[in-house]
Each structure stands twice: as structure tokens, then as C-alpha cells.
């Protein structure tokens, strides 16, 4: 074993300590190696050491907060909800800014949709009769509508959107960001940042300026901006997208360059957040200044870094820890709208 490698040196200390303390004797307490590096755990087990994953920051993804719930009520209660524009709900069952689908318990097709008010009185309020629209983008399903309701609500400082590929997370987030920044002037600037993690083997060094280097990593952002800029003509859409970027109202940044910054009055999007650790997520959110809205999107099942999994990444950790806060909203997407093939791939592969 080459002891000039840090992993091997740690394993050697653990092995020696185990021998010294008699951890291999019957009924003796074992020396345990705790690491998130699966390769190091395999090495430890090959040496006969007890190796465990670090589980303190893990979240049960099967019980992860979805932001939407169903409630069975009588037809009379639905009629009363429409008349009074409110319905009292159980604070032990529902959370602030949670969407609730009311369904009748008598088999009829009466239904209603509301959102729990975030002022602490736990009253369900109906959604606006008119669907939200941002930069010409309309929601294609109820999950996208719920998300746009949260994204266009300036009383919320943080919104998280979780869903598989093709559900529209990035597109509607960029559309609402452009609407609130470029058209409504509610925010000074829109900042879009992503974690730079390669899929497969890394390409290595990229030449050029910081902007030219980032362009290789930010393809998804540029594609969506081009689509929003001109949905009918892709070539003109690319030119208009570059014009938007040159206007100074949009900044594309890497998570790597966020430390130490202070971002007041801005619409901040953190895309592909499943590749961030809980510590990195905390670092990014603490960059938000007064009047800044942060939107975090990602798919916990598309993690590209070997040190994170579906239960320990910064995205699921954030959803689990922030649920119920008055200035926070969340939606989990389940329906793919990109294409038939994208839907099949997300379900079957």
C-alpha cells in the first residue's frame, strides 16, 4: 500500500489503531472508518475494517415534502370555499404555501385548488382564476401552474423546484425571471448559476476568458434563453439571447465564483442544485442580499458527483430543512413535457 496517498495513510492509521485497541478480538468495539468516498469504503472493507457512510445529513427522499397535498371534503365545503374564498385547514397537516387539491368524498367530480396562506392563520385561499403567464410561457399542467404562482410571488424569498428531466423547471424559472427583471423591473438583475460538474470523463482545461469557459458548461441555460427569446426562429433566438446577455441585466455565473459576493435586489437562479453539498448550498443562499429572490432547481436522481447521492445532496437537504417556512415555497414535478422520448427515458432508464 502506497502511504504517500492520503486515503491509504488514513486507512493505515485506522488499521493500526484497531490492532492496538484489540478491535478484532471477540466483543471488542470496532474501529470504524466513516467516509462519503465509496472507493475508500471498499478499500477499508478489503482490509477487514468496518466502513460506513456519513449519514447525519441524509434525507429520506421517499418522504420528501412535495408542496402539494389532497384533501377529501364534502361538496358543500367546496361550494362554501368558492363563496367565502377561504377554508380553514389543520396546521398540523399542512404547511405555509402548500397547495391543496380539494376533492369530494361522495364520488362526484367537484374539486377545487387552493394555497395555504403564509401569514400564519392556516387558511386555504383559492388560486387566481386567470392562469399566470411569463414571457409568453403558460403552464402546461397543474404542477407548472403551482410553480409559476410561487415564482411570481414576491413575498417568497426562496422557491425550490424538484423534478426529472424535461418537466420544465429551468424554462419556467427563466421565463418568470425575465418577466420580473426585464419587463416588470422588480429586480435589478437576474443571476443564473450552476455547479460545474462533468457528466462522464472531464474534458479538462478549456481555453478562453471566463465567459468563454462558462459557455461550455451553461448550454442548458443558453438553449432555454434562445427558446424564450424567439420560439419560432431558433437562429434569431440565439442572436436575441446574446443581446439579452450583453444588456447587463442577466449574469451567468459558476457556483465556484459565488463565495464572498453579496447580491441585493436580484432574481437568483441556482440550476442543477443536486450536484451541490449542503455546505455549498448554505454558502450560496447566504449570498442573497435584501430584496433578492432565490430559485433552486434540480433532479436528485441525476447526480454527477461521486460524493453525493439522492439522500445527501444539497437540494433534498434544503427542501427538508426549509419546509413550512413562511417565505418558502416548493413544488415537486412528476410530468415530463419535453418530448415522448424524454418521458420514456426518465421513467424506464
Amino acid at each position: 500500500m502506497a502511504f504517500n496517498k492520503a486515503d491509504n495513510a488514513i486507512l493505515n492509521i485506522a488499521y493500526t489503531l484497531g490492532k492496538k485497541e484489540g478491535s478484532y478480538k471477540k466483543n471488542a468495539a470496532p474501529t470504524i472508518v466513516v467516509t462519503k468516498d465509496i472507493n475508500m469504503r471498499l478499500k477499508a472493507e478489503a482490509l477487514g475494517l468496518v466502513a460506513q457512510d456519513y449519514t447525519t445529513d441524509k434525507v429520506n427522499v421517499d418522504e420528501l415534502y412535495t408542496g402539494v397535498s389532497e384533501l377529501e371534503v364534502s361538496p358543500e365545503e367546496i361550494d362554501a370555499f368558492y363563496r367565502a374564498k377561504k377554508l380553514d385547514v389543520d396546521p398540523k397537516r399542512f404547511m405555509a404555501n402548500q397547495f391543496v387539491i380539494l376533492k369530494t368524498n361522495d364520488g362526484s367530480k367537484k374539486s377545487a385548488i387552493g394555497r395555504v396562506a403564509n401569514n400564519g392563520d392556516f387558511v386555504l385561499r383559492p388560486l387566481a382564476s386567470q392562469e399566470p403567464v411569463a414571457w409568453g410561457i403558460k403552464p402546461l399542467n397543474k404542477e407548472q401552474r403551482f410553480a409559476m404562482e410561487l415564482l411570481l410571488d414576491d413575498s417568497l424569498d426562496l422557491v425550490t423546484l424538484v423534478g426529472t428531466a424535461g418537466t420544465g423547471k429551468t424554462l419556467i424559472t427563466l421565463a418568470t425571471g425575465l418577466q420580473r427583471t426585464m419587463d416588470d423591473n422588480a429586480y435589478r438583475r437576474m443571476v443564473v448559476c450552476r455547479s460545474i460538474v462533468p457528466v462522464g470523463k472531464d474534458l479538462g482545461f478549456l481555453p478562453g476568458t471566463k465567459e468563454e469557459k462558462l459557455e461550455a458548461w451553461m448550454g442548458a441555460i443558453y438553449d432555454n434563453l434562445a427558446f424564450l427569446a424567439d420560439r419560432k426562429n431558433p437562429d434569431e433566438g440565439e442572436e436575441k439571447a446574446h443581446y439579452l446577455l450583453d444588456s447587463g441585466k442577466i449574469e451567468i455565473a459558476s457556483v465556484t465564483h459565488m463565495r464572498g459576493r453579496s447580491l441585493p435586489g436580484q432574481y437568483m437562479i441556482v440550476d442543477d442544485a443536486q450536484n451541490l453539498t449542503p455546505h455549498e448550498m448554505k454558502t450560496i443562499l447566504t449570498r442573497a442580499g435584501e430584496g433578492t429572490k432565490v430559485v433552486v432547481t434540480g433532479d436528485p436522481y441525476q447526480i454527477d458527483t461521486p460524493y453525493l447521492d439522492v439522500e445527501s445532496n444539497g437540494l433534498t437537504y434544503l427542501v427538508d430543512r426549509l419546509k413550512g417556512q413562511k417565505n418558502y415555497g416548493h413544488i415537486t414535478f412528476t410530468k415530463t413535457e419535453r418530448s415522448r422520448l424524454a418521458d420514456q427515458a426518465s421513467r424506464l432508464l
Side-chain angles (χ1 to χ4, degrees):
M1 184 182 286
F3 296 116
N4 59 337
K5 294 182 179 290
D7 288 2
N8 295 342
I10 294 170
L11 291 173
N12 180 52
I13 293 172
Y15 185 84
T16 304
L17 184 62
K19 285 287 189 181
K20 181 179 179 182
E21 299 295 330
S23 61
Y24 301 104
K25 296 178 182 178
K26 190 175 181 180
N27 299 325
T31 299
I32 301 175
V33 177
V34 180
T35 175
K36 298 187 78 68
D37 188 340
I38 190 171
N39 295 318
M40 189 171 177
R41 292 202 301 271
L42 289 172
K43 280 185 178 182
E45 290 173 0
L47 292 172
L49 288 166
V50 178
Q52 297 179 1
D53 191 5
Y54 182 75
T55 59
T56 301
D57 59 352
K58 285 187 178 290
V59 175
N60 187 348
V61 72
D62 294 328
E63 299 177 0
L64 192 67
Y65 175 61
T66 64
V68 182
S69 182
E70 291 187 358
L71 178 64
E72 281 195 354
V73 295
S74 66
E76 292 75 23
E77 286 180 289
I78 289 183
D79 292 336
F81 174 65
Y82 279 121
R83 286 196 307 270
K85 305 297 183 185
K86 66 177 184 177
L87 178 69
D88 292 331
V89 292
D90 185 0
K92 295 181 180 179
R93 181 175 176 182
F94 300 102
M95 299 184 182
N97 298 305
Q98 185 174 12
F99 292 89
V100 181
I101 301 173
L102 300 177
K103 292 186 175 181
T104 54
N105 51 17
D106 65 348
S108 64
K109 294 184 178 180
K110 271 190 176 182
S111 64
I113 299 175
R115 175 177 153 199
V116 180
N118 59 4
N119 54 10
D121 58 2
F122 286 94
V123 171
L124 189 68
R125 302 282 184 183
L127 302 185
S129 57
Q130 189 174 0
E131 284 189 338
V133 180
W135 256 54
I137 296 296
K138 296 181 180 180
L140 298 179
N141 54 55
K142 67 177 183 297
E143 293 164 355
Q144 289 190 2
R145 174 166 188 188
F146 295 161
M148 291 184 75
E149 292 276 351
L150 298 176
L151 293 171
L152 293 170
D153 186 350
D154 292 338
S155 70
L156 302 181
D157 300 324
L158 175 64
V159 175
T160 53
L161 305 178
V162 171
T164 56
T167 50
K169 307 180 302 295
T170 303
L171 180 66
I172 64 172
T173 302
L174 285 172
T176 51
L178 289 169
Q179 178 71 38
R180 301 299 288 144
T181 304
M182 305 292 291
D183 293 355
D184 302 339
N185 290 316
Y187 301 93
R188 293 175 44 242
R189 185 172 51 170
M190 183 171 73
V191 179
V192 186
C193 60
R194 297 184 98 196
S195 175
I196 296 179
V197 179
V199 179
K201 292 186 177 180
D202 196 350
L203 289 173
F205 173 77
L206 293 173
T209 63
K210 184 184 80 170
E211 288 73 22
E212 291 170 336
K213 294 177 191 292
L214 283 176
E215 193 166 352
W217 296 100
M218 302 293 178
I221 305 300
Y222 292 124
D223 291 344
N224 281 290
L225 280 176
F227 175 79
L228 290 168
D230 195 323
R231 293 189 288 280
K232 295 182 179 179
N233 192 325
D235 293 331
E236 289 190 14
E238 290 184 8
E239 292 183 10
K240 292 178 181 177
H242 282 290
Y243 172 78
L244 288 174
L245 292 170
D246 293 339
S247 69
K249 295 282 282 185
I250 303 175
E251 178 186 353
I252 308 294
S254 164
V255 168
T256 310
H257 302 114
M258 296 303 292
R259 181 178 289 279
R261 296 187 64 181
S262 181
L263 304 171
Q266 303 191 31
Y267 192 100
M268 182 177 173
I269 301 171
V270 184
D271 197 35
D272 267 359
Q274 74 275 2
N275 287 319
L276 299 173
T277 66
H279 175 71
E280 289 171 333
M281 182 63 73
K282 179 180 178 180
T283 301
I284 293 170
L285 293 182
T286 53
R287 302 305 95 210
E290 189 67 31
T292 289
K293 185 187 189 81
V294 183
V295 184
V296 182
T297 71
D299 178 6
Y301 295 97
Q302 290 194 81
I303 294 174
D304 304 310
T305 172
Y307 302 111
L308 299 174
D309 57 34
V310 68
E311 297 178 324
S312 64
N313 64 86
L315 178 60
T316 53
Y317 183 79
L318 178 65
V319 174
D320 185 65
R321 296 302 295 268
L322 268 292
K323 61 184 179 184
Q325 298 297 313
K326 295 178 182 179
N327 63 335
Y328 168 70
H330 169 76
I331 289 295
T332 297
F333 292 81
T334 57
K335 188 175 181 181
T336 301
E337 298 288 354
R338 179 174 291 162
S339 67
R340 180 173 57 189
L341 177 58
D343 181 47
Q344 289 174 331
S346 64
R347 289 186 293 104
L348 302 177
L349 298 182

